[in-house]
Amino acid sequence: AKGNMEEEKDYREVMDISNEFRQLVNKLNTQEKSRQEFVSNVSHELKTPITSMKVLADSLLGQQGLPEELYQEFLHDISKEIDRENDIITDLLALVRMEKSESEINISSVNINEILEAVLKRLKPIAESKNIELIFESFRPVIADVDELKFASVATNLVENAIKYNNTDGTVTASLNSDHQYFYLKVTDTGIGISEENQDRVFERFFRVDKARSRETGGTGLGLAITKEIVMKHHGSIKIHSKEGEGTTFTVRIPLKYIA
Ligand code: ADP
């Protein structure tokens, strides 16, 4: 027969395995729940434009001799809903591809200042249409290991949001800084801000503080989820600082050197 000590050791081992097993089951349950939630959100989001299109198309079909303008207006609305459906699918594909662990990331040594200047230049017309001033502050030249296209889309998304959720005549400041280990991109706006309880939630897929406003401005609610995923892929972090009615700052921190 085994001695007491040995029996106790066996018992402890069994308990350890059983604990580990329970933790694994819990983790799988949580993952399954979040997967179900995602599928249900996706279905809902994809259905909304289709419901609108159906209503619009049916009203066109049901009416004879509609005035030409009304006819044009309905078709225009249908076309907008198709664009929306397209945007959602494009963002979803980007997100799902990124979340696959095997998705490749194309790292090279990149001039970050140049990327940011190009992004701001491209967004200038949108800012001008709201009379928003776009400022680029660069404290030093930064060369870092990033996926150029993916990093550009991070900067684009943050600046686009800073314009979208800003007031007319507001300001958007993108500032770039670095230390010996990281570079920091800060995007600050003078817009509507985000309440404390919503600040963490903005990174969730499909989360929008104001669905109606986001829909009007063509938002899918996936931008920040994609942005966060890209930043994580670079072993970086993203933080938010915001005050309702005053404005928001997003700070992205990415290591200068990429270590796979
Ligand atoms: P969307 O496509 O709706 O802009 P995002 O994922 O980019 O989706 O952002 C999620 C939500 O976070 C937005 O709908 C908005 O409510 C909020 N948000 C994002 N950026 C800002 C900002 N700079 N100021 C205020 N609210 C913001």
Side-chain angles (χ1 to χ4, degrees), residues 1-19:
K2 288 181 179 175
N4 260 352
M5 295 273 273
E6 236 174 294
E7 255 175 38
E8 211 166 277
K9 195 171 146 245
D10 285 352
Y11 176 74
R12 252 187 280 125
E13 261 168 27
V14 170
M15 284 312 279
D16 282 351
I17 292 169
S18 127
N19 268 335

mmCIF file of all heavy atoms in Angstrom, residues 1-19:
data_model
loop_
_atom_site.group_PDB
_atom_site.id
_atom_site.type_symbol
_atom_site.label_atom_id
_atom_site.label_comp_id
_atom_site.label_asym_id
_atom_site.label_seq_id
_atom_site.Cartn_x
_atom_site.Cartn_y
_atom_site.Cartn_z
ATOM 1 N N ALA A 1 0.845 -1.216 0.000
ATOM 2 C CA ALA A 1 0.000 0.000 0.000
ATOM 3 C C ALA A 1 0.864 1.243 0.000
ATOM 4 O O ALA A 1 1.985 1.228 0.482
ATOM 5 C CB ALA A 1 -0.905 -0.001 1.244
ATOM 6 N N LYS A 2 0.312 2.343 -0.563
ATOM 7 C CA LYS A 2 1.073 3.593 -0.601
ATOM 8 C C LYS A 2 1.098 4.235 0.776
ATOM 9 O O LYS A 2 0.146 4.068 1.561
ATOM 10 C CB LYS A 2 0.401 4.567 -1.565
ATOM 11 C CG LYS A 2 0.588 4.172 -3.004
ATOM 12 C CD LYS A 2 -0.099 5.203 -3.877
ATOM 13 C CE LYS A 2 0.080 4.853 -5.329
ATOM 14 N NZ LYS A 2 -0.657 5.763 -6.183
ATOM 15 N N GLY A 3 2.141 4.940 1.026
ATOM 16 C CA GLY A 3 2.221 5.670 2.275
ATOM 17 C C GLY A 3 1.296 6.876 2.232
ATOM 18 O O GLY A 3 0.822 7.269 1.170
ATOM 19 N N ASN A 4 1.054 7.448 3.395
ATOM 20 C CA ASN A 4 0.187 8.619 3.505
ATOM 21 C C ASN A 4 0.635 9.783 2.621
ATOM 22 O O ASN A 4 -0.172 10.425 1.958
ATOM 23 C CB ASN A 4 0.156 9.095 4.958
ATOM 24 C CG ASN A 4 -1.117 8.593 5.632
ATOM 25 O OD1 ASN A 4 -1.989 8.046 4.937
ATOM 26 N ND2 ASN A 4 -1.201 8.765 6.928
ATOM 27 N N MET A 5 1.988 10.007 2.672
ATOM 28 C CA MET A 5 2.548 11.129 1.913
ATOM 29 C C MET A 5 2.233 10.995 0.433
ATOM 30 O O MET A 5 1.827 11.938 -0.227
ATOM 31 C CB MET A 5 4.075 11.164 2.080
ATOM 32 C CG MET A 5 4.519 11.442 3.474
ATOM 33 S SD MET A 5 4.629 13.198 3.748
ATOM 34 C CE MET A 5 6.308 13.473 3.184
ATOM 35 N N GLU A 6 2.427 9.757 -0.052
ATOM 36 C CA GLU A 6 2.236 9.537 -1.476
ATOM 37 C C GLU A 6 0.771 9.706 -1.877
ATOM 38 O O GLU A 6 0.455 10.267 -2.921
ATOM 39 C CB GLU A 6 2.726 8.140 -1.836
ATOM 40 C CG GLU A 6 3.782 8.162 -2.932
ATOM 41 C CD GLU A 6 4.341 6.781 -3.147
ATOM 42 O OE1 GLU A 6 5.011 6.270 -2.206
ATOM 43 O OE2 GLU A 6 4.084 6.223 -4.212
ATOM 44 N N GLU A 7 -0.101 9.199 -1.022
ATOM 45 C CA GLU A 7 -1.535 9.324 -1.297
ATOM 46 C C GLU A 7 -1.938 10.786 -1.390
ATOM 47 O O GLU A 7 -2.707 11.199 -2.247
ATOM 48 C CB GLU A 7 -2.335 8.646 -0.186
ATOM 49 C CG GLU A 7 -2.917 7.331 -0.637
ATOM 50 C CD GLU A 7 -3.601 6.600 0.496
ATOM 51 O OE1 GLU A 7 -4.252 7.277 1.318
ATOM 52 O OE2 GLU A 7 -3.456 5.364 0.553
ATOM 53 N N GLU A 8 -1.364 11.567 -0.478
ATOM 54 C CA GLU A 8 -1.692 12.987 -0.470
ATOM 55 C C GLU A 8 -1.223 13.651 -1.760
ATOM 56 O O GLU A 8 -1.897 14.505 -2.318
ATOM 57 C CB GLU A 8 -1.029 13.655 0.733
ATOM 58 C CG GLU A 8 -1.833 14.821 1.255
ATOM 59 C CD GLU A 8 -1.351 15.238 2.626
ATOM 60 O OE1 GLU A 8 -1.762 14.631 3.628
ATOM 61 O OE2 GLU A 8 -0.508 16.149 2.632
ATOM 62 N N LYS A 9 -0.042 13.218 -2.233
ATOM 63 C CA LYS A 9 0.517 13.783 -3.460
ATOM 64 C C LYS A 9 -0.391 13.457 -4.645
ATOM 65 O O LYS A 9 -0.710 14.325 -5.467
ATOM 66 C CB LYS A 9 1.915 13.208 -3.690
ATOM 67 C CG LYS A 9 2.696 13.990 -4.710
ATOM 68 C CD LYS A 9 4.155 13.551 -4.762
ATOM 69 C CE LYS A 9 4.705 13.655 -6.158
ATOM 70 N NZ LYS A 9 5.066 12.368 -6.744
ATOM 71 N N ASP A 10 -0.839 12.186 -4.704
ATOM 72 C CA ASP A 10 -1.761 11.786 -5.777
ATOM 73 C C ASP A 10 -3.013 12.642 -5.744
ATOM 74 O O ASP A 10 -3.488 13.128 -6.758
ATOM 75 C CB ASP A 10 -2.179 10.316 -5.606
ATOM 76 C CG ASP A 10 -1.043 9.387 -6.008
ATOM 77 O OD1 ASP A 10 -0.044 9.912 -6.545
ATOM 78 O OD2 ASP A 10 -1.156 8.171 -5.757
ATOM 79 N N TYR A 11 -3.540 12.812 -4.519
ATOM 80 C CA TYR A 11 -4.770 13.576 -4.349
ATOM 81 C C TYR A 11 -4.588 15.000 -4.872
ATOM 82 O O TYR A 11 -5.422 15.519 -5.608
ATOM 83 C CB TYR A 11 -5.155 13.579 -2.867
ATOM 84 C CG TYR A 11 -6.360 14.425 -2.557
ATOM 85 C CD1 TYR A 11 -7.635 13.983 -2.912
ATOM 86 C CD2 TYR A 11 -6.220 15.652 -1.925
ATOM 87 C CE1 TYR A 11 -8.748 14.767 -2.639
ATOM 88 C CE2 TYR A 11 -7.326 16.436 -1.651
ATOM 89 C CZ TYR A 11 -8.591 15.987 -2.007
ATOM 90 O OH TYR A 11 -9.681 16.756 -1.740
ATOM 91 N N ARG A 12 -3.445 15.585 -4.481
ATOM 92 C CA ARG A 12 -3.186 16.964 -4.919
ATOM 93 C C ARG A 12 -3.093 17.056 -6.431
ATOM 94 O O ARG A 12 -3.615 17.977 -7.037
ATOM 95 C CB ARG A 12 -1.909 17.498 -4.267
ATOM 96 C CG ARG A 12 -2.229 18.533 -3.189
ATOM 97 C CD ARG A 12 -0.991 19.192 -2.641
ATOM 98 N NE ARG A 12 -0.328 18.355 -1.654
ATOM 99 C CZ ARG A 12 0.945 17.994 -1.720
ATOM 100 N NH1 ARG A 12 1.696 18.399 -2.728
ATOM 101 N NH2 ARG A 12 1.464 17.242 -0.793
ATOM 102 N N GLU A 13 -2.449 16.056 -7.028
ATOM 103 C CA GLU A 13 -2.321 16.066 -8.484
ATOM 104 C C GLU A 13 -3.680 15.998 -9.160
ATOM 105 O O GLU A 13 -3.966 16.728 -10.101
ATOM 106 C CB GLU A 13 -1.446 14.895 -8.960
ATOM 107 C CG GLU A 13 -0.031 15.349 -9.240
ATOM 108 C CD GLU A 13 0.904 14.175 -9.412
ATOM 109 O OE1 GLU A 13 0.442 13.097 -9.812
ATOM 110 O OE2 GLU A 13 2.105 14.347 -9.124
ATOM 111 N N VAL A 14 -4.534 15.108 -8.641
ATOM 112 C CA VAL A 14 -5.884 14.977 -9.204
ATOM 113 C C VAL A 14 -6.640 16.298 -9.069
ATOM 114 O O VAL A 14 -7.307 16.757 -10.000
ATOM 115 C CB VAL A 14 -6.659 13.833 -8.507
ATOM 116 C CG1 VAL A 14 -8.121 13.858 -8.911
ATOM 117 C CG2 VAL A 14 -6.041 12.501 -8.858
ATOM 118 N N MET A 15 -6.516 16.941 -7.900
ATOM 119 C CA MET A 15 -7.202 18.215 -7.682
ATOM 120 C C MET A 15 -6.705 19.272 -8.661
ATOM 121 O O MET A 15 -7.486 20.059 -9.190
ATOM 122 C CB MET A 15 -6.990 18.704 -6.243
ATOM 123 C CG MET A 15 -7.824 17.976 -5.215
ATOM 124 S SD MET A 15 -9.555 17.833 -5.681
ATOM 125 C CE MET A 15 -10.137 19.442 -5.203
ATOM 126 N N ASP A 16 -5.370 19.287 -8.865
ATOM 127 C CA ASP A 16 -4.799 20.266 -9.791
ATOM 128 C C ASP A 16 -5.365 20.081 -11.192
ATOM 129 O O ASP A 16 -5.770 21.043 -11.848
ATOM 130 C CB ASP A 16 -3.272 20.137 -9.848
ATOM 131 C CG ASP A 16 -2.627 20.788 -8.628
ATOM 132 O OD1 ASP A 16 -3.362 21.470 -7.875
ATOM 133 O OD2 ASP A 16 -1.408 20.607 -8.428
ATOM 134 N N ILE A 17 -5.393 18.805 -11.618
ATOM 135 C CA ILE A 17 -5.898 18.533 -12.965
ATOM 136 C C ILE A 17 -7.363 18.920 -13.065
ATOM 137 O O ILE A 17 -7.796 19.547 -14.032
ATOM 138 C CB ILE A 17 -5.701 17.034 -13.322
ATOM 139 C CG1 ILE A 17 -4.204 16.737 -13.458
ATOM 140 C CG2 ILE A 17 -6.431 16.683 -14.606
ATOM 141 C CD1 ILE A 17 -3.878 15.273 -13.549
ATOM 142 N N SER A 18 -8.107 18.610 -12.021
ATOM 143 C CA SER A 18 -9.530 18.915 -12.068
ATOM 144 C C SER A 18 -9.766 20.429 -12.075
ATOM 145 O O SER A 18 -10.657 20.925 -12.753
ATOM 146 C CB SER A 18 -10.243 18.213 -10.920
ATOM 147 O OG SER A 18 -11.012 19.097 -10.170
ATOM 148 N N ASN A 19 -8.935 21.174 -11.348
ATOM 149 C CA ASN A 19 -9.041 22.636 -11.381
ATOM 150 C C ASN A 19 -8.725 23.193 -12.759
ATOM 151 O O ASN A 19 -9.417 24.068 -13.266
ATOM 152 C CB ASN A 19 -8.072 23.264 -10.371
ATOM 153 C CG ASN A 19 -8.766 23.460 -9.040
ATOM 154 O OD1 ASN A 19 -9.994 23.566 -9.000
ATOM 155 N ND2 ASN A 19 -7.984 23.493 -7.969
#
